[in-house]
Amino acid sequence: TPTVAITVDGHHPRAVATDLGRQGIFVLDGAFSAQGLIERLGLAEAGGVVRLGLVHYNTGEEVDRTLEAIEGIARG
């Protein structure tokens, strides 16, 4: 399953995940099974990352909506 991990400058991963969830976009936040990697990347203190799973049944429109929602969060 293709997995994407992101951070949004100035926004805690939990807040990003919560905001996306309110928009019907379901993601997870944290370190998952990659605690060592998250620590080496210097992201542990910041709450880790936001993890998105994109699979064959996601439509282009869903991907576009997700990207637009993330962009909206990033703009504040």
Side-chain angles (χ1 to χ4, degrees):
T1 301
T3 303
V4 178
I6 66 165
T7 60
V8 180
D9 285 342
H11 298 273
H12 192 279
R14 173 73 41 91
V16 173
T18 299
D19 195 2
L20 291 173
R22 286 186 186 121
Q23 297 181 60
I25 301 167
F26 303 107
V27 300
L28 298 169
D29 67 281
F32 315 100
S33 298
Q35 185 65 40
L37 174 62
I38 295 299
E39 288 172 359
R40 281 190 292 278
L41 292 172
L43 299 172
E45 295 296 319
V49 296
V50 176
R51 186 177 78 178
L52 301 102
L54 300 170
V55 294
H56 63 280
Y57 54 76
N58 287 110
T59 65
E61 292 82 14
E62 289 171 328
V63 173
D64 289 342
R65 187 168 73 87
T66 300
L67 293 173
E68 289 170 7
I70 294 168
E71 186 177 322
I73 292 168
R75 281 185 279 184

